[in-house]
């Protein structure tokens, strides 16, 4: 029944289109005679016109069928349809002209009529299709949304991104935006127009915008701009009392998470981001391509991004291991949406479960392992050190030993800058994980698995970082809580940190710790102030910044290197390599595992200190 109704609709649509096209073709042919003879058509040619009009309509309708003009939607008219119309009308006119040149008794038309008919028919058909498109893009959205004034916006960046954005908004008024001005640093563009919108001058001229200009928003369309320049533009716009939004970054566009025309509010990540990282893409692809790669902690911030980047490098299979099945489901959906689901295999598993992990290695034979699974929340682990030890220390040890037995090519431990001279349980357990991994590498004979660790600082936007916490506090109206006025942290974006992890894995020979260049440390109080301003509020007036004191295990600042570690340069300017002599006690680990849930929290912390002497625990 449904198919019958659908077929009837297609038939009726084809009939309507045939009538419309016939009217255009017939009118063009009829007017061609009037134009050729200056609207004084001799009687003989008037008879000829009426005699052949049916034949011309039939010929051109027949030509429009293979050109798919009865199948395509009228309101979606683009360059491919234009070319198909040109070819079809040209072919039909050539047929008519050929008959004329061979002096066919059946068909002799004036050459001038044929030429004028060709032009009129092309213009008529294109006008009909273009009118349908304009109605869909301009009139229908306005009618559907009601008559309302579009927001007047100014675009910073008159390059390809800004031009595409202006074109998108101009051609789709239903989006509710009307570009009225461009600002650009390139003086050669000043005074010129892009899609009918004038380039006023440099972004510094935003300060000269007055209420009379009725500009409601500034949109930054500079995907390749440095964070410093974005900060400057945001500051100018905020001082002028204007709301600021931005296009997605190159990382968001490349990942497929955002479209080029999708503007969003400026985030603190845009202000703290750094220059793009140059990676040895060929070497990274060679490490991954055609291999079975395992990522533990695949549902976390770092693990999920590792999965996205590795999946794009054509591995033979990507094993996504995660204990939290909800997070794993989200990662799997993201991989599927990127069209890479065929190679990804989600595995719900706990790395501390020896039997489960042994079965995974036996069945799937991973060749490269990225170990990102960990308990990482500092204050939470401070109150339950047994769980931190069970996962970060014992779980990592079991996983690494299984990897060594199965002769995995490379094992990369994702570590943290909190492992350097740790003051928290989390930092101490990650340091002990590093020591174990390096000792397992050193104990191998005759080659084997390359074990290494990669350290980096806080990741922008990851779960548990201060940014989502500050966002929630600002949304509630404050206060925004900061532990100390002078506390600083290193920050990296998730794609940047993962890209450098992959780069480190390529360079690693085993037995070393790589530390990623994290730039300059950021004051958390300044970060809070910027986030409040980006939300449209004034720090201290609209939303208070409240200092609550350092939590147990928390440092004022993070360090990059332990005193016993020797620095060795690498081929990549953003990756440092450290080698140290580590002392590891098998007996200490055995005793720790035996007494893990018998000892009190302070006793566990002192047991950790015996194995990590530089650890300064917070004792109750």
């Amino acid at each position: 029944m449904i198919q019958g109704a659908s077929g009837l609709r297609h038939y009726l649509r084809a009939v309507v289109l045939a009538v419309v096209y016939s009217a255009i073709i017939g009118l063009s042919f009829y007017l061609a005679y009037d134009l050729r003879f200056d609207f004084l058509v001799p009687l003989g040619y008037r008879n000829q016109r009426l005699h052949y009009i049916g034949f011309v309509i039939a010929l051109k309708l027949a030509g429009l069928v293979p050109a798919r003009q009865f199948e395509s939607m009228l309101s979606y008219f683009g360059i491919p349809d234009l070319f198909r119309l040109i070819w079809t009308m040209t072919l039909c006119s050539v047929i008519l002209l050929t008959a004329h040149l061979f002096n066919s008794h059946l068909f002799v038309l004036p050459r001038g009529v044929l030429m004028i008919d060709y032009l009129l028919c092309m213009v008529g058909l294109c006008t009909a299709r273009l009118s349908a498109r304009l109605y869909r893009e301009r009139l229908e959205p306005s009618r559907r949304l009601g008559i309302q004034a579009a927001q007047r916006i100014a675009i910073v960046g008159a390059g390809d991104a800004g031009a595409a954005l202006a074109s998108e908004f101009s051609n789709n008024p239903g989006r509710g935006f009307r570009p009225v001005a461009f600002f650009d640093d390139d003086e050669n563009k000043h005074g010129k127009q892009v899609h009918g919108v004038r380039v006023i001058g440099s972004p510094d001229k935003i300060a000269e915008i007055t209420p009379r200009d009725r500009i409601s928003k500034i949109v930054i369309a500079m995907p390749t701009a440095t964070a410093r320049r974005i900060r400057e533009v945001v500051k100018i716009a905020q001082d002028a009392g204007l709301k600021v939004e931005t296009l997605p970054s190159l990382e968001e566009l490349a990942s497929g998470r955002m479209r080029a025309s999708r503007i969003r509010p400026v985030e603190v990540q845009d202000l703290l981001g750094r220059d793009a990282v140059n990676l040895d893409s060929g070497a990274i692809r060679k490490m991954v391509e055609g291999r079975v790669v395992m990522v533990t902690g695949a549902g976390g911030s770092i693990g999920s991004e590792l999965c996205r980047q590795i999946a794009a490098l054509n591995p033979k299979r990507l094993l996504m291991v995660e204990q939290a099945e909800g997070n794993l489901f989200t990662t799997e959906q993201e991989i599927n949406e990127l069209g890479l689901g065929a190679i990804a295999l989600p595995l719900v598993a706990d790395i501390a479960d020896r039997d489960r992990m042994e079965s995974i290695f036996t069945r799937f034979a991973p060749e490269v392992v990225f170990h990102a699974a960990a308990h990482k929340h500092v204050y939470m682990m401070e109150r339950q050190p047994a769980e931190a030890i069970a996962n970060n220390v014992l779980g990592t040890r079991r996983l690494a030993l299984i990897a060594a037995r199965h002769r995995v090519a490379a094992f990369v431990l994702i570590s943290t800058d909190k492992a350097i001279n740790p003051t928290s349980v989390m930092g101490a357990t990650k340091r002990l994980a590093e020591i174990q991994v390096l000792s397992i590498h050193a104990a191998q004979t005759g080659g084997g698995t390359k074990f290494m660790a990669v350290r980096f600082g806080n990741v922008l936007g990851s779960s548990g970082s201060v940014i989502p916490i500050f966002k929630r506090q600002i949304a509630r109206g404050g206060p925004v809580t900061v532990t100390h006025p002078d506390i600083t942290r290193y920050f990296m974006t998730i794609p940047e940190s993962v890209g450098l992890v992959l780069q480190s894995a390529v360079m690693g020979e085993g037995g070393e710790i790589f530390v990623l260049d994290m730039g300059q440390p950021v004051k958390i109080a300044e970060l809070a102030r910027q986030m409040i301003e980006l939300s449209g509020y004034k720090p201290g007036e609209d939303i208070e910044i409240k200092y609550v004191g350092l939590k147990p295990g928390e440092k004022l600042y993070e360090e990059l290197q332990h005193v016993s570690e020797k620095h060795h340069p690498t081929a990549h300017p953003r990756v440092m390599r450290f080698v140290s002599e580590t002392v590891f006690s098998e007996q200490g680990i055995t005793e720790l595992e035996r007494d893990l849930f018998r000892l009190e929290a302070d006793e566990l912390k002192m047991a950790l200190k015996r194995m990590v002497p530089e650890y300064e625990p917070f004792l109750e």
Side-chain angles (χ1 to χ4, degrees), residues 393-537:
V393 177
L394 303 179
T396 297
R397 177 172 179 76
R398 289 168 187 163
L399 187 68
L401 289 172
I402 292 172
R405 284 199 301 273
H406 285 265
R407 310 289 288 183
V408 169
F411 183 102
V412 183
L413 167 68
I414 307 299
S415 188
T416 169
D417 57 358
K418 292 176 176 60
I420 305 167
N421 300 322
T423 59
S424 65
V425 168
M426 194 280 271
T429 56
K430 293 299 282 186
R431 175 56 182 158
L432 187 50
E434 291 178 354
I435 292 171
Q436 289 183 106
V437 163
L438 299 185
S439 68
I440 291 172
H441 177 84
Q444 294 178 125
T445 56
T449 303
K450 295 190 297 184
F451 287 91
M452 65 199 82
V454 182
R455 292 178 189 152
F456 49 87
N458 296 271
V459 176
L460 289 168
S462 66
S463 61
S465 73
V466 295
I467 290 175
I469 295 172
F470 285 173
K471 282 183 177 179
R472 289 196 298 270
Q473 292 174 339
I474 292 169
R476 290 198 305 263
V480 174
T481 56
V482 178
T483 53
H484 192 281
D486 297 323
I487 191 169
T488 62
R489 288 292 181 266
Y490 291 100
F491 286 97
M492 302 178 74
T493 65
I494 294 175
E496 176 189 19
S497 57
V498 167
L500 287 173
V501 166
L502 295 174
Q503 183 68 63
S504 301
V506 168
M507 298 187 296
E509 298 175 1
E512 65 264 274
I513 297 172
F514 292 99
V515 178
L516 308 186
D517 171 20
M518 292 169 281
Q520 296 299 315
V522 176
K523 270 196 171 186
I524 301 301
E526 176 63 16
L527 178 67
R529 186 190 66 78
Q530 288 180 333
M531 290 188 66
I532 292 170
E533 289 178 342
L534 285 175
S535 300
Y537 303 108

Side-chain angles (χ1 to χ4, degrees), residues 84 248 265 280 386:
R84 281 194 283 267
D280 187 352

Side-chain angles (χ1 to χ4, degrees), residues 89 147 259 383 564 570:
M89 292 301 103
I147 303 299
R259 291 189 304 159
R383 292 172 289 171
S564 67
T570 70

Side-chain angles (χ1 to χ4, degrees), residues 34-88:
D34 283 326
L35 293 176
R36 164 63 180 83
F37 294 103
D38 202 17
F39 294 93
L40 296 172
V41 184
L43 179 61
Y45 285 110
R46 274 183 276 172
N47 294 332
Q48 184 187 66
R49 174 170 61 184
L50 295 175
H51 182 71
Y52 290 122
I53 191 170
F55 174 79
V56 172
I57 291 173
L59 174 66
K60 293 188 177 181
L61 283 179
L64 291 174
V65 172
R68 293 183 288 179
Q69 294 308 295
F70 288 91
E71 302 171 17
S72 60
M73 296 181 68
L74 280 179
S75 58
Y76 289 89
F77 181 64
I79 299 299
D81 281 311
L82 175 62
F83 282 141
R84 281 194 283 267
L85 282 177
I86 291 174
W87 280 109
T88 300

Side-chain angles (χ1 to χ4, degrees), residues 121-140:
C121 198
M122 276 298 309
V123 171
L125 291 172
C126 290
T127 300
R129 294 294 305 274
L130 191 57
S131 297
R133 175 175 172 177
L134 290 175
Y135 174 79
R136 176 181 61 84
E137 293 180 351
R138 302 293 181 93
L139 300 179
E140 189 178 23

Side-chain angles (χ1 to χ4, degrees), residues 14-15 130 172 178 195 209 219 236 249 311 360 363 381 399 452-453 534 579 602:
V15 170
L130 191 57
N172 295 279
R178 179 187 169 197
H195 294 301
I209 293 176
V219 179
I236 295 168
S249 65
I360 289 174
R363 181 176 179 182
M381 292 301 101
L399 187 68
M452 65 199 82
L534 285 175
V579 178
D602 283 356

